[in-house]
Amino acid sequence: MLKQGNIPLFHISRRKALPWQLAWLIRGVAIVLALLVCAIITTQMTDYNPLQVYATMWNGAFGTTRKIWILGQDIAILLCISLAVTPAFKMRFWNIGAEGQVLAGGLACAACMICLGDTLPNALLIVCMAAASIAAGALWALIPAIFKAKWNTNETLFTLMMNYVATQLVAFFVIVWEVPKGAGKVGIINQATEAGWLPQIGSYKYLLNILIVALLTIGMYVYLNYTKQGYELSVVGESEHTARYVGIKVSRVILRTLLLSGAVCGVAGLLLVGGTDHTITTTIADGRGFTAVMVSWLAKFNPIGMIFASFLLVFLDRGASEISTNFGLNQSFGDILTGVILFFIIGSEFFITYQVQFRRSGKKEDDNV
């Protein structure tokens, strides 16, 4: 028997599913609190008007038509990589190798542009680029998947190490293809002929990338929620023993899911090299492979939710850069504000999922131990 004096002051328990209105109200309150804390930090550290700082963040993302299109392009690439890692995460395969898979896809795309740019018609060249990028990304993800399926290796470490291998592989070919020799960079590929550059829709430079990722988002949502394969990976994620008991071949699901993840990362590499940058560097993924992990988790593996999570992170990143430029502050200050906002948003998910119950005073409770 437990006396009241031995009952904890509070305990945490999992909530039943909250109505979506209440869940978004909690998130909204978290954002308001975050902005208040950021205002206090801004006033104490810089003496600037917090409202001016927030207006600068807004202008950094939406100040001009060009900035809006760049924002859309950045959201599309981050969303694409987030979609790629989500099937693996939902299966509880911790694919931390999206960065390397994007690099592998981008390297294959650049190889096609450099080696085949003068020999193939542009339409056929783009088809080869797409096929090579998707295959390279899928292959880079398949390697750790095989080791996991056959020998149960640690996929987190394996995929992480594959990032470094991909980075060094790209660094090697950058030296092979560098223009001019000794420059240490490839430069703009096929700048004179634009061979292999993805076509532009009207005067909108990034519209094609955005449309491709929009179609991928719809396709991934349908795949995860309305197909047999999506159901199987969810069962494997819940319990491999249950999956085997009901006749699901776990090894096959692992291989299939990682092929899909790598292939979508390959698409991101294609969009970066063929669609926007038209070059290949070791930093072309720009850490998005790791940021995508946060996007996927914030959205709880929901592709529609990832649109909003990607927007939030890209908006904060561009806003932080604009603060640094306009106020003469270093990038760290903008990152501090971004970190505070993310802390409150991520923290709000705790209160959506769990509830804190305090001990009631003046009431004796008896429990069986």
Side-chain angles (χ1 to χ4, degrees):
M1 310 291 282
L2 286 176
K3 297 181 179 180
Q4 184 175 351
N6 295 327
I7 298 175
L9 179 61
F10 67 89
H11 72 276
I12 298 171
S13 59
R14 193 174 186 89
R15 289 183 187 273
K16 296 180 180 179
L18 285 178
W20 68 268
Q21 300 95 328
L22 183 55
W24 280 103
L25 176 62
I26 293 174
R27 294 186 180 102
V29 171
I31 292 174
V32 171
L33 291 175
L35 293 176
L36 290 174
V37 172
C38 287
I40 295 171
I41 293 173
T42 301
T43 303
Q44 295 299 316
M45 295 182 65
T46 68
D47 292 329
Y48 288 120
N49 185 339
L51 295 179
Q52 287 183 319
V53 174
Y54 295 148
T56 300
M57 293 180 70
W58 180 266
N59 289 332
F62 300 103
T64 64
T65 301
R66 182 174 180 274
K67 287 180 178 179
I68 293 173
W69 279 107
I70 293 174
L71 178 75
Q73 153 67 11
D74 291 344
I75 291 172
I77 296 299
L78 179 57
L79 176 58
C80 184
I81 302 173
S82 303
L83 292 171
V85 300
T86 295
F89 284 169
K90 198 166 184 180
M91 190 183 60
R92 300 298 189 265
F93 184 106
W94 310 119
N95 179 16
I96 314 298
E99 195 90 357
Q101 291 150 30
V102 172
L103 284 174
L107 180 62
C109 179
C112 290
M113 294 173 70
I114 293 170
C115 300
L116 303 176
D118 296 331
T119 60
L120 294 179
N122 198 53
L124 183 57
L125 175 59
I126 291 175
V127 171
C128 290
M129 289 161 47
S133 298
I134 292 171
L139 175 63
W140 211 252
L142 181 63
I143 296 171
I146 291 173
F147 277 79
K148 175 67 174 181
K150 299 296 183 182
W151 298 288
N152 197 32
T153 57
N154 186 310
E155 71 274 12
T156 304
L157 291 177
F158 204 130
T159 53
L160 184 63
M161 293 302 104
M162 291 290 286
N163 290 336
Y164 296 103
V165 177
T167 300
Q168 296 308 313
L169 194 61
V170 171
F172 172 80
F173 280 100
V174 165
I175 300 302
V176 172
W177 295 329
E178 62 183 354
V179 178
K181 287 297 181 183
K185 59 182 180 180
V186 175
I188 303 299
I189 302 172
N190 300 335
Q191 187 170 11
T193 63
E194 296 188 359
W197 291 24
L198 297 184
Q200 182 173 303
I201 300 177
S203 59
Y204 305 110
K205 183 177 180 182
Y206 303 123
L207 181 56
L208 180 62
N209 286 11
I210 295 171
L211 291 177
I212 290 173
V213 175
L215 292 175
L216 281 174
T217 304
I218 296 170
M220 188 63 74
Y221 180 83
V222 172
Y223 177 82
L224 292 176
N225 294 284
Y226 298 104
T227 66
K228 175 186 175 184
Q229 290 78 12
Y231 170 75
E232 287 180 345
L233 70 86
S234 296
V235 175
V236 172
E238 291 294 328
S239 170
E240 287 191 16
H241 297 296
T242 302
R244 290 192 176 95
Y245 180 77
V246 298
I248 296 174
K249 295 183 178 179
V250 174
S251 296
R252 180 184 297 177
V253 173
I254 292 174
L255 297 176
R256 182 181 64 213
T257 303
L258 266 293
L259 277 172
L260 175 63
S261 287
V264 178
C265 282
V267 172
L270 169 70
L271 297 181
L272 284 170
V273 175
T276 56
D277 295 1
H278 306 125
T279 189
I280 183 68
T281 66
T282 56
T283 59
I284 196 167
D286 196 26
R288 294 184 184 95
F290 300 107
T291 308
V293 176
M294 185 184 299
V295 171
S296 184
W297 277 94
L298 277 175
K300 297 183 178 178
F301 312 136
N302 184 337
I304 306 303
M306 289 177 210
I307 298 173
F308 301 101
S310 298
F311 167 80
L312 173 66
L313 293 179
V314 173
F315 170 77
L316 291 175
D317 180 68
R318 295 198 60 78
S321 298
E322 193 75 7
I323 290 172
S324 302
T325 302
N326 285 17
F327 291 98
L329 301 170
N330 60 41
Q331 181 71 28
S332 298
F333 180 76
D335 291 339
I336 289 172
L337 300 186
T338 298
V340 170
I341 294 171
L342 288 177
F343 174 81
F344 274 83
I345 292 173
I346 294 172
S348 70
E349 297 299 320
F350 171 85
F351 293 100
I352 292 171
T353 307
Y354 300 96
Q355 59 183 343
V356 180
Q357 295 178 322
F358 289 90
R359 183 180 65 202
R360 296 181 180 180
S361 60
K363 181 181 178 181
K364 294 184 178 181
E365 299 183 14
D366 291 331
D367 283 325
N368 293 323
V369 179

